[in-house]
PDB file of all heavy atoms in Angstrom:
ATOM      1  N   SER A  10     -25.757-119.921 -27.427  1.00 98.00           N
ATOM      2  CA  SER A  10     -24.277-120.110 -27.460  1.00 98.00           C
ATOM      3  C   SER A  10     -23.753-120.908 -26.265  1.00 98.00           C
ATOM      4  O   SER A  10     -24.566-121.263 -25.395  1.00 98.00           O
ATOM      5  CB  SER A  10     -23.721-118.795 -27.610  1.00 98.00           C
ATOM      6  OG  SER A  10     -23.649-118.163 -26.339  1.00 98.00           O
ATOM      7  N   ARG A  11     -22.485-121.020 -26.163  1.00 98.00           N
ATOM      8  CA  ARG A  11     -21.888-121.574 -24.927  1.00 98.00           C
ATOM      9  C   ARG A  11     -22.153-120.742 -23.677  1.00 98.00           C
ATOM     10  O   ARG A  11     -21.865-121.184 -22.616  1.00 98.00           O
ATOM     11  CB  ARG A  11     -20.525-121.926 -25.162  1.00 98.00           C
ATOM     12  CG  ARG A  11     -20.105-123.041 -26.059  1.00 98.00           C
ATOM     13  CD  ARG A  11     -18.480-123.029 -26.309  1.00 98.00           C
ATOM     14  NE  ARG A  11     -18.107-124.152 -26.995  1.00 98.00           N
ATOM     15  CZ  ARG A  11     -18.034-124.305 -28.433  1.00 98.00           C
ATOM     16  NH1 ARG A  11     -18.650-123.298 -29.170  1.00 98.00           N
ATOM     17  NH2 ARG A  11     -17.612-125.284 -28.996  1.00 98.00           N
ATOM     18  N   ARG A  14     -23.961-122.413 -20.692  1.00 98.00           N
ATOM     19  CA  ARG A  14     -23.305-123.174 -19.562  1.00 98.00           C
ATOM     20  C   ARG A  14     -23.240-122.135 -18.427  1.00 98.00           C
ATOM     21  O   ARG A  14     -23.371-122.538 -17.268  1.00 98.00           O
ATOM     22  CB  ARG A  14     -21.891-123.568 -19.961  1.00 98.00           C
ATOM     23  CG  ARG A  14     -22.005-124.509 -21.184  1.00 98.00           C
ATOM     24  CD  ARG A  14     -20.597-124.701 -21.803  1.00 98.00           C
ATOM     25  NE  ARG A  14     -20.534-125.512 -22.949  1.00 98.00           N
ATOM     26  CZ  ARG A  14     -19.553-125.869 -23.692  1.00 98.00           C
ATOM     27  NH1 ARG A  14     -18.378-125.375 -23.274  1.00 98.00           N
ATOM     28  NH2 ARG A  14     -19.719-126.567 -24.647  1.00 98.00           N
ATOM     29  N   PHE A  33     -24.611-113.615 -32.995  1.00 97.00           N
ATOM     30  CA  PHE A  33     -23.757-113.776 -34.132  1.00 97.00           C
ATOM     31  C   PHE A  33     -24.306-113.069 -35.431  1.00 97.00           C
ATOM     32  O   PHE A  33     -25.478-112.914 -35.563  1.00 97.00           O
ATOM     33  CB  PHE A  33     -23.702-115.201 -34.457  1.00 97.00           C
ATOM     34  CG  PHE A  33     -23.232-116.232 -33.364  1.00 97.00           C
ATOM     35  CD1 PHE A  33     -24.256-116.860 -32.697  1.00 97.00           C
ATOM     36  CD2 PHE A  33     -21.950-116.237 -32.981  1.00 97.00           C
ATOM     37  CE1 PHE A  33     -23.808-117.625 -31.567  1.00 97.00           C
ATOM     38  CE2 PHE A  33     -21.595-116.989 -31.912  1.00 97.00           C
ATOM     39  CZ  PHE A  33     -22.541-117.726 -31.180  1.00 97.00           C
ATOM     40  N   MET A  36     -22.143-116.394 -38.190  1.00 93.00           N
ATOM     41  CA  MET A  36     -21.452-117.231 -37.304  1.00 93.00           C
ATOM     42  C   MET A  36     -20.197-116.535 -36.551  1.00 93.00           C
ATOM     43  O   MET A  36     -19.499-117.113 -35.848  1.00 93.00           O
ATOM     44  CB  MET A  36     -20.769-118.376 -38.022  1.00 93.00           C
ATOM     45  CG  MET A  36     -21.717-119.182 -39.073  1.00 93.00           C
ATOM     46  SD  MET A  36     -22.721-120.308 -38.266  1.00 93.00           S
ATOM     47  CE  MET A  36     -21.680-121.621 -38.037  1.00 93.00           C
ATOM     48  N   LYS A  37     -20.149-115.187 -36.867  1.00 97.00           N
ATOM     49  CA  LYS A  37     -19.060-114.390 -36.206  1.00 97.00           C
ATOM     50  C   LYS A  37     -19.605-113.513 -35.191  1.00 97.00           C
ATOM     51  O   LYS A  37     -20.761-113.043 -35.350  1.00 97.00           O
ATOM     52  CB  LYS A  37     -18.217-113.626 -37.221  1.00 97.00           C
ATOM     53  CG  LYS A  37     -17.395-114.462 -38.057  1.00 97.00           C
ATOM     54  CD  LYS A  37     -16.280-115.150 -37.354  1.00 97.00           C
ATOM     55  CE  LYS A  37     -15.652-116.288 -38.061  1.00 97.00           C
ATOM     56  NZ  LYS A  37     -14.959-117.273 -37.315  1.00 97.00           N
ATOM     57  N   VAL A  38     -18.891-113.138 -34.070  1.00 97.00           N
ATOM     58  CA  VAL A  38     -19.419-112.149 -33.076  1.00 97.00           C
ATOM     59  C   VAL A  38     -18.802-110.892 -33.476  1.00 97.00           C
ATOM     60  O   VAL A  38     -17.558-110.780 -33.530  1.00 97.00           O
ATOM     61  CB  VAL A  38     -18.927-112.623 -31.636  1.00 97.00           C
ATOM     62  CG1 VAL A  38     -19.451-111.640 -30.642  1.00 97.00           C
ATOM     63  CG2 VAL A  38     -19.325-114.015 -31.297  1.00 97.00           C
ATOM     64  N   LYS A  51     -15.073-114.596 -28.944  1.00 98.00           N
ATOM     65  CA  LYS A  51     -16.026-115.670 -28.907  1.00 98.00           C
ATOM     66  C   LYS A  51     -16.901-115.587 -27.627  1.00 98.00           C
ATOM     67  O   LYS A  51     -16.460-114.917 -26.691  1.00 98.00           O
ATOM     68  CB  LYS A  51     -15.297-117.052 -28.916  1.00 98.00           C
ATOM     69  CG  LYS A  51     -14.638-117.255 -30.098  1.00 98.00           C
ATOM     70  CD  LYS A  51     -13.912-118.665 -30.182  1.00 98.00           C
ATOM     71  CE  LYS A  51     -13.291-118.767 -31.586  1.00 98.00           C
ATOM     72  NZ  LYS A  51     -12.664-120.165 -31.710  1.00 98.00           N
ATOM     73  N   LEU A  52     -18.139-116.133 -27.727  1.00 98.00           N
ATOM     74  CA  LEU A  52     -18.952-116.213 -26.559  1.00 98.00           C
ATOM     75  C   LEU A  52     -18.806-117.505 -25.767  1.00 98.00           C
ATOM     76  O   LEU A  52     -18.550-118.514 -26.381  1.00 98.00           O
ATOM     77  CB  LEU A  52     -20.449-116.152 -27.106  1.00 98.00           C
ATOM     78  CG  LEU A  52     -20.824-114.832 -27.931  1.00 98.00           C
ATOM     79  CD1 LEU A  52     -22.262-115.199 -28.509  1.00 98.00           C
ATOM     80  CD2 LEU A  52     -20.735-113.675 -27.199  1.00 98.00           C
ATOM     81  N   PRO A  53     -18.924-117.412 -24.371  1.00 98.00           N
ATOM     82  CA  PRO A  53     -19.269-116.213 -23.624  1.00 98.00           C
ATOM     83  C   PRO A  53     -18.076-115.444 -23.052  1.00 98.00           C
ATOM     84  O   PRO A  53     -16.955-116.018 -23.178  1.00 98.00           O
ATOM     85  CB  PRO A  53     -20.078-116.818 -22.495  1.00 98.00           C
ATOM     86  CG  PRO A  53     -19.332-118.221 -22.265  1.00 98.00           C
ATOM     87  CD  PRO A  53     -18.865-118.561 -23.657  1.00 98.00           C
ATOM     88  N   GLU A  64     -13.792-118.211 -21.611  1.00 98.00           N
ATOM     89  CA  GLU A  64     -13.756-119.616 -21.498  1.00 98.00           C
ATOM     90  C   GLU A  64     -14.874-120.139 -20.579  1.00 98.00           C
ATOM     91  O   GLU A  64     -14.728-119.938 -19.361  1.00 98.00           O
ATOM     92  CB  GLU A  64     -12.451-120.147 -21.032  1.00 98.00           C
ATOM     93  CG  GLU A  64     -11.363-120.282 -22.173  1.00 98.00           C
ATOM     94  CD  GLU A  64     -11.686-121.186 -23.367  1.00 98.00           C
ATOM     95  OE1 GLU A  64     -12.432-122.236 -23.062  1.00 98.00           O
ATOM     96  OE2 GLU A  64     -11.382-120.904 -24.380  1.00 98.00           O
ATOM     97  N   SER A  65     -15.965-120.666 -21.067  1.00 98.00           N
ATOM     98  CA  SER A  65     -17.096-120.954 -20.320  1.00 98.00           C
ATOM     99  C   SER A  65     -16.940-121.816 -19.182  1.00 98.00           C
ATOM    100  O   SER A  65     -17.445-121.512 -18.088  1.00 98.00           O
ATOM    101  CB  SER A  65     -18.128-121.654 -21.294  1.00 98.00           C
ATOM    102  OG  SER A  65     -17.627-122.858 -21.982  1.00 98.00           O
TER     103      SER A  65
HETATM  104  N1  GSH B   1     -13.685-122.722 -25.478  1.00 71.35           N
HETATM  105  C1  GSH B   1     -14.550-121.716 -25.686  1.00 71.35           C
HETATM  106  C2  GSH B   1     -15.288-121.762 -27.039  1.00 71.35           C
HETATM  107  C3  GSH B   1     -16.035-120.431 -27.298  1.00 71.35           C
HETATM  108  C4  GSH B   1     -16.782-120.482 -28.698  1.00 71.35           C
HETATM  109  O1  GSH B   1     -16.250-121.222 -29.619  1.00 71.35           O
HETATM  110  N2  GSH B   1     -17.815-119.810 -28.836  1.00 71.35           N
HETATM  111  C5  GSH B   1     -18.640-119.798 -30.097  1.00 71.35           C
HETATM  112  C6  GSH B   1     -20.094-119.675 -29.663  1.00 71.35           C
HETATM  113  S1  GSH B   1     -20.795-121.079 -28.855  1.00 71.35           S
HETATM  114  C7  GSH B   1     -18.269-118.486 -30.749  1.00 71.35           C
HETATM  115  O2  GSH B   1     -18.373-117.391 -30.217  1.00 71.35           O
HETATM  116  N3  GSH B   1     -17.934-118.612 -32.069  1.00 71.35           N
HETATM  117  C8  GSH B   1     -17.695-117.592 -32.785  1.00 71.35           C
HETATM  118  C9  GSH B   1     -16.486-117.739 -33.685  1.00 71.35           C
HETATM  119  O3  GSH B   1     -15.973-118.886 -33.778  1.00 71.35           O
HETATM  120  O4  GSH B   1     -15.984-116.718 -34.438  1.00 71.35           O
HETATM  121  C10 GSH B   1     -15.452-121.577 -24.561  1.00 71.35           C
HETATM  122  O5  GSH B   1     -15.826-122.694 -23.967  1.00 71.35           O
HETATM  123  O6  GSH B   1     -15.960-120.500 -24.130  1.00 71.35           O
END
Side-chain angles (χ1 to χ4, degrees):
S10 73
R11 286 172 174 85
R14 302 166 184 178
F33 307 99
M36 314 281 279
K37 293 286 161 206
V38 184
K51 293 184 179 184
L52 303 173
E64 282 297 329
S65 56

